[in-house]
Amino acid sequence: MRLVGILTFVFMAALSLSAQDKELEDKVNKLMSELTLEEKVSLCSGRDDWSTEPIERLDIPWIWMADGPHGLRRAPATNKAGYGDQHPATCFPTASALSATWDTDLIYKVGQALGEECQALGVNVLLGPGVNIKRSVLGGRNFEYFTEDPILSGELGAAYINGVQSQGVGTSLKHFVANNVETMRMFMNSDVDTRTLHEIYLTPFEIAVKKAQPWTVMACYNRVQGEYGTQSPYLLTNLLKEEWGFEGIVISDWFAVVDRVAALKAGMHIEMPHVSSVNDEILLKAVQEGELDEAVLDNLVKEILMVVLKAKSLDKEDVDQKEEEHHQFAREVHGQAITLLKNNKIVLPLSKDKYKKIAIIGEFAANPRYQGNGSSEVKPTQLDNVLDIIKKEYGKGVKISYAQGYNLKDDNDFTMIEEAVQLAKESDVALVFAGLPLHYESEGIDRKHIDMPAAHNQLIAEVAKIQNNTVAVLTNGSAVAMPWIEQVPAVLETWLGGQAGAGAVADVLFGTVNPSGKLAETFPVKLADTPAAFDFPGEQGNVLYGERIFVGYRYYDEKQIEPLFPFGHGLSYTTFDYSDIQLSAKKISDKDALVVSLKVKNTGAIAGKETVQLYVSDLESTLQRPEKELKHFVKVELQPGETKEVSFELSGRDFSYYDAKRDMWIAESGSFEVMAAASSRDIRLKAQFELESTQQVPMMVDKYTFAKELWDNTETRELLKEYMPNWINGWVPEGKTMDEANIPGFFMEHPMIKFPYITNNEITHEQVNELIERCKNITYAPSYRTFKEVENVSF
Ligand code: BGC
């Protein structure tokens, strides 16, 4: 009954929405006929720092855009930068913490809360989420991005967008695309091959666009394959609009535009912020002189007006910012993000029976670090700290003592360690709060290493020497090295938890909340182990994506490197058992859905949440593929002893690679394996199936196509038999047919351009060209074939 009700509501909403859209479109068409060329041009750039250009004469309003992503940074006015004097807003955990929740429903709710705050403060478009991939652990904005995995980034991004936009507020999906380095970010060229671009870097944007239709997409500062992101027709028009069906507008990152005319031609709508009137004049001249077709400008302006008018029509009056409610919600969210990395000897949760004297060590406990540096900096409505919260909410019946341990203003001040060690010695348990100070993680600056300040590392090591019950409680927005890991029995990764994070940390430490966060990024032992170690941050304006598709856990798998903590890892105060994996079929086609189901049981004594990760492995592939790739995930809550069945529906795309030669996704016939896992290195269940591809892909024959490829295909084999029968017959054993020819591998490797030479001109160069033409229309069902290796190379 309830479902029917919801469906009817959705259907009615869709109906009325389309009527609204129609009305909007009529209004925009009318405005288009009234706008002068100058006015149209002016609409293609911002009015000032944060607003779009209004046209008072025609009652065209302006809208307010503001950062983003984990809270609202709304300047006092649209023409003020808004650093330091921004309006207070709820600072939620940053994206790297949000991603550790692996919880799309929760991220949707965070989006809703952010949307409410935007409505309360008059903001129409929130500049986020950032779904760029964490290619290197050194990336300065890693705290602001979700993960190293394209599917997880895309799904979380879509949930965030749907949440914000459910409140009548738009989002800006950023930074499109391959914006993975901060060094020289205004001109760095992301030198990434086409397959990798699609499989790793474009996929999160594709998912977010298709599942959530953000009102705007923000084009990046950097160049991609040699072309600025703001002026790439392929990215902004062919892919975003035509292939993915993006219905919104593209805005530039702030000051990202280089060539205004090229940008508009490519499909970029609005230059942000207002840079100079010179830019408008350039555009005007380009239209007047025929360099830019006015019809192109008209299309863009029409789309801009659709977004502006829609945004204004959804403006709500008198919305409450719900400061207190959102503060509590931010605490709840962070409780789901905190990741228990290690808990030997079950040091945690802190039990008051076991620990009467608790030492809280480290300045972060009193002076929290809760977000990153740069444009995303939120002015919180209030700010909690762990020391006060623990004393207030958990301090009854226990002695809580504090030692500063280090000095946040001086990384190399070791003078406070001794006092902290003494306190730890006199206590039953030592909680050492350490991590990365604010200046370590910033927009615009990449990290140079992954170490915490020397004083923090030494503090943890020294305390652990004299106190067996030492817990390292880490505050950082991205991966760090842990040289003391063997000495410390428990490590709690608390990320950058936002303004209410301290309460969540206390809740997890004392067991009010059972930790359920899992790493959305691999923690390496050392920088040299990381995928982009050789190619980051790039040099001479170019960053080579040398590790190709082997980003994050894909790389550690391929290189068989043991990470410090693997992607997907996170412990709980309870335990889970996986069983009974079932596939809906043992053989499918790329058009069928494959349903994978399994059971998860809480085998411990308390309630908890587990994120089940589903990886897919292509066991035999024409192209090189990662050992496994995350395709689906789900977070389930289980009471002690409870079992739940979870299921995932997989489709052709889940099995596909991107073929750069043919510019298409291909799901090849062959054997595949699905793995249900608790982390990328903790595979619990496996099952195999066969895929039979129904796709037909073009042969893509050219003068470098080699003999074996043509011989393996039944249609092209017939052509070879027609053009070079004598040569083939030369390899046919007595009494056998031509199809049974035993052509040596050495000759199978020869490309068509050499056919006249190897066949002693039985086939001429002209005939080779003719053969190429005849092969061009031939298609085949893709399957695993050994194009790369020619077996039995013999002479
Ligand atoms: C950042 C964007 C941000 C914009 C507006 C840029 O420097 O890259 O993420 O939204 O500024 O503050």
Side-chain angles (χ1 to χ4, degrees):
M1 253 330 269
R2 199 164 152 247
L3 185 67
V4 173
I6 291 170
L7 287 177
T8 316
F9 172 76
V10 170
F11 181 66
M12 294 306 288
L15 266 189
S16 63
L17 205 69
S18 61
Q20 266 174 21
D21 281 354
K22 178 81 186 67
E23 208 182 300
L24 213 62
E25 207 173 339
D26 292 344
K27 201 164 165 189
V28 168
N29 284 336
K30 181 157 179 295
L31 286 172
M32 288 305 294
S33 65
E34 290 165 343
L35 282 166
T36 65
L37 178 59
E38 285 76 4
E39 286 168 337
K40 287 191 263 185
V41 163
S42 74
L43 284 167
C44 294
S45 81
R47 173 179 65 169
D48 49 24
D49 289 15
W50 306 110
S51 65
T52 57
E53 188 73 48
I55 310 270
E56 279 166 26
R57 182 180 78 83
L58 296 171
D59 272 343
I60 296 178
W62 55 271
I63 57 170
W64 196 326
M65 314 190 204
D67 285 307
H70 55 270
L72 184 55
R73 185 173 67 82
R74 205 214 69 172
T78 58
N79 61 357
K80 296 249 165 66
Y83 285 98
D85 58 353
Q86 65 266 53
H87 198 286
T90 309
C91 180
F92 283 92
T94 76
S96 58
L98 294 178
S99 58
T101 69
W102 291 67
D103 188 338
T104 48
D105 294 340
L106 190 68
I107 305 298
Y108 178 90
K109 288 186 193 146
V110 171
Q112 275 181 321
L114 291 170
E116 282 172 343
E117 298 213 9
C118 288
Q119 284 286 7
L121 297 180
V123 168
N124 306 96
V125 173
L126 183 62
L127 302 174
V131 297
N132 295 101
I133 293 291
K134 297 181 201 205
R135 173 176 174 253
S136 165
V137 275
L138 298 177
R141 289 184 101 165
N142 280 5
F143 71 88
E144 212 182 322
Y145 294 141
F146 289 122
T147 135
E148 66 189 28
D149 181 80
I151 302 285
L152 185 56
S153 290
E155 293 294 341
L156 297 176
Y160 174 105
I161 294 166
N162 280 326
V164 174
Q165 295 192 171
S166 70
Q167 299 307 302
V169 171
T171 52
S172 198
L173 180 65
K174 64 191 188 182
H175 308 88
F176 190 56
V177 62
N179 180 223
N180 313 101
V181 60
E182 293 302 290
T183 309
M184 300 175 186
R185 63 176 174 157
M186 294 290 166
F187 68 97
M188 192 63 99
N189 178 41
S190 296
D191 191 353
V192 50
D193 69 275
T194 300
R195 176 177 176 201
T196 304
L197 183 63
H198 282 264
E199 289 189 18
I200 305 290
Y201 299 97
L202 285 166
T203 292
F205 288 91
E206 181 182 356
I207 295 172
V209 165
K210 289 182 173 168
K211 290 197 163 178
Q213 281 293 352
W215 293 6
T216 81
V217 164
M218 190 188 290
C220 60
Y221 286 129
N222 51 289
R223 290 172 291 152
V224 186
Q225 298 187 332
E227 179 82 274
Y228 270 108
T230 48
Q231 53 194 58
S232 162
Y234 175 66
L235 293 174
L236 303 185
T237 299
N238 303 122
L239 216 55
L240 189 60
K241 270 205 123 52
E242 293 169 1
E243 259 191 51
W244 302 347
F246 174 57
E247 292 163 5
I249 58 172
V250 178
I251 61 173
S252 73
D253 197 347
W254 268 232
F255 301 98
V257 173
V258 179
D259 180 335
R260 194 77 197 291
V261 179
L264 261 79
K265 279 186 183 169
M268 201 209 73
H269 298 73
I270 301 183
E271 173 182 36
M272 282 304 292
H274 182 80
V275 179
S276 101
S277 51
V278 174
N279 269 355
D280 282 1
E281 280 154 28
I282 292 174
L283 210 52
L284 191 63
K285 199 158 155 252
V287 179
Q288 284 162 342
E289 293 179 355
E291 195 201 336
L292 177 71
D293 188 348
E294 194 168 344
V296 171
L297 177 71
D298 283 354
N299 261 336
L300 297 172
V301 172
K302 218 175 133 174
E303 287 164 343
I304 292 170
L305 290 177
M306 287 292 288
V307 169
V308 169
L309 296 190
K310 175 165 89 177
K312 274 327 255 187
S313 74
L314 295 171
D315 253 356
K316 292 181 195 155
E317 298 283 313
D318 300 325
V319 176
D320 180 10
Q321 206 182 328
K322 298 188 185 162
E323 293 184 9
E324 196 46 50
E325 189 182 319
H326 287 173
H327 183 75
Q328 288 314 320
F329 178 51
R331 176 174 181 163
E332 193 190 308
V333 172
H334 191 224
Q336 303 302 306
I338 293 170
T339 311
L340 181 61
L341 295 177
K342 183 174 176 183
N343 195 19
N344 287 7
K345 303 194 295 143
I346 324 279
V347 177
L348 293 176
L350 301 174
S351 107
K352 287 188 183 171
D353 300 337
K354 206 165 144 199
Y355 309 120
K356 295 285 178 216
K357 285 179 280 176
I358 299 176
I360 296 185
I361 294 168
E363 193 181 341
F364 275 145
N367 181 10
R369 158 123 199 266
Y370 57 98
Q371 61 179 331
N373 213 3
S375 62
S376 66
E377 243 180 281
V378 177
K379 187 181 201 169
T381 58
Q382 51 183 298
L383 181 60
D384 293 338
N385 72 68
V386 170
L387 188 57
D388 289 347
I389 294 249
I390 290 186
K391 279 186 184 160
K392 193 168 148 222
E393 299 183 22
Y394 294 97
K396 218 168 154 205
V398 280
K399 184 169 178 243
I400 310 280
S401 313
Y402 170 70
Q404 189 178 332
Y406 51 81
N407 175 359
L408 277 174
K409 292 202 181 76
D410 179 358
D411 289 354
N412 293 310
D413 179 353
F414 301 92
T415 57
M416 282 172 257
I417 295 181
E418 209 180 300
E419 183 205 0
V421 170
Q422 193 52 38
L423 176 65
K425 211 174 184 175
E426 292 157 8
S427 306
D428 302 323
V429 61
L431 309 175
V432 188
F433 291 80
L436 300 178
L438 182 63
H439 62 277
Y440 274 58
E441 291 176 289
S442 175
E443 174 181 342
I445 306 167
D446 292 307
R447 285 196 290 168
K448 301 276 176 291
H449 56 76
I450 56 168
D451 301 329
M452 301 195 312
H456 293 223
N457 279 332
Q458 193 170 323
L459 175 69
I460 298 174
E462 296 290 330
V463 168
K465 267 190 211 158
I466 54 90
Q467 174 53 265
N468 287 338
N469 298 322
T470 292
V471 182
V473 185
L474 302 181
T475 297
N476 42 285
S478 44
V480 290
M482 302 181 199
W484 32 259
I485 191 69
E486 295 306 331
Q487 294 155 255
V488 175
V491 182
L492 193 65
E493 175 54 68
T494 74
W495 310 107
L496 302 179
Q499 65 180 55
V505 173
D507 294 340
V508 170
L509 285 171
F510 286 90
T512 314
V513 169
N514 187 354
S516 62
K518 294 211 179 199
L519 292 181
E521 58 196 275
T522 308
F523 274 38
V525 172
K526 56 186 189 299
L527 184 59
D529 287 349
T530 62
F534 279 119
D535 300 309
F536 192 91
E539 52 194 17
Q540 299 185 321
N542 197 64
V543 53
L544 180 68
Y545 284 45
E547 72 289 352
R548 301 170 46 240
I549 48 173
F550 298 99
V551 176
Y553 61 89
R554 292 162 168 81
Y555 177 83
Y556 295 86
D557 283 353
E558 185 73 13
K559 295 275 286 187
Q560 299 178 358
I561 293 173
E562 199 56 48
L564 178 60
F565 294 107
F567 175 82
H569 168 75
L571 304 171
S572 164
Y573 295 149
T574 185
T575 46
F576 302 97
D577 187 39
Y578 290 46
S579 67
D580 204 11
I581 190 164
Q582 306 277 350
L583 303 185
S584 58
K586 278 285 179 196
K587 189 161 188 168
I588 57 159
S589 88
D590 54 302
K591 292 209 172 115
D592 300 329
L594 176 75
V595 179
V596 180
S597 60
L598 60 122
K599 290 189 179 131
V600 195
K601 182 176 182 188
N602 181 346
T603 47
I606 58 167
K609 291 182 184 169
E610 171 69 338
T611 296
V612 180
Q613 301 153 46
L614 196 79
Y615 295 87
V616 169
S617 173
D618 186 351
L619 298 176
E620 33 184 37
S621 169
T622 303
L623 299 193
Q624 194 183 13
R625 296 200 74 173
E627 189 178 300
K628 63 177 176 298
E629 297 185 276
L630 180 80
K631 294 297 172 186
H632 293 268
F633 56 92
V634 69
K635 194 167 186 173
V636 279
E637 182 163 16
L638 295 160
Q639 297 305 314
E642 189 185 6
T643 301
K644 275 188 185 159
E645 184 173 292
V646 297
S647 63
F648 307 96
E649 191 174 306
L650 284 75
S651 64
R653 175 69 180 263
D654 290 322
F655 315 120
S656 301
Y657 58 73
Y658 193 83
D659 184 326
K661 207 166 148 192
R662 295 172 174 81
D663 253 324
M664 65 191 289
W665 289 96
I666 296 181
E668 277 189 348
S669 299
S671 307
F672 288 79
E673 187 166 67
V674 286
M675 299 167 217
S679 90
S680 62
R681 289 288 168 102
D682 185 4
I683 310 296
R684 299 291 181 87
L685 302 167
K686 289 179 178 184
Q688 287 189 14
F689 65 95
E690 291 294 309
L691 186 136
E692 179 91 37
S693 189
T694 64
Q695 275 182 292
Q696 283 293 314
V697 303
M699 281 290 290
M700 303 294 288
V701 175
D702 64 20
K703 59 189 176 189
Y704 301 112
T705 305
F706 62 105
K708 177 158 171 49
E709 190 169 347
L710 301 170
W711 187 252
D712 276 353
N713 180 287
T714 46
E715 278 184 76
T716 47
R717 180 185 295 186
E718 289 310 309
L719 294 175
L720 287 189
K721 280 156 66 179
E722 182 185 327
Y723 280 88
M724 35 210 257
N726 294 339
W727 183 76
I728 294 169
N729 273 322
W731 307 109
V732 176
E734 257 312 298
K736 302 275 181 182
T737 65
M738 258 172 119
D739 286 319
E740 291 166 296
N742 240 338
I743 305 170
F746 175 78
F747 287 106
M748 281 297 199
E749 272 188 335
H750 283 273
M752 294 179 90
I753 194 170
K754 289 166 88 181
F755 283 5
Y757 162 69
I758 60 169
T759 64
N760 202 15
N761 230 22
E762 182 183 10
I763 177 169
T764 64
H765 280 292
E766 290 70 36
Q767 285 172 316
V768 166
N769 289 337
E770 189 183 300
L771 181 56
I772 291 172
E773 284 310 307
R774 287 183 68 185
C775 289
K776 275 193 176 152
N777 295 329
I778 294 175
T779 58
Y780 69 95
S783 76
Y784 168 65
R785 295 188 296 173
T786 48
F787 286 160
K788 281 178 301 171
E789 318 113 48
V790 179
E791 288 150 40
N792 310 323
V793 175
S794 56
F795 295 91

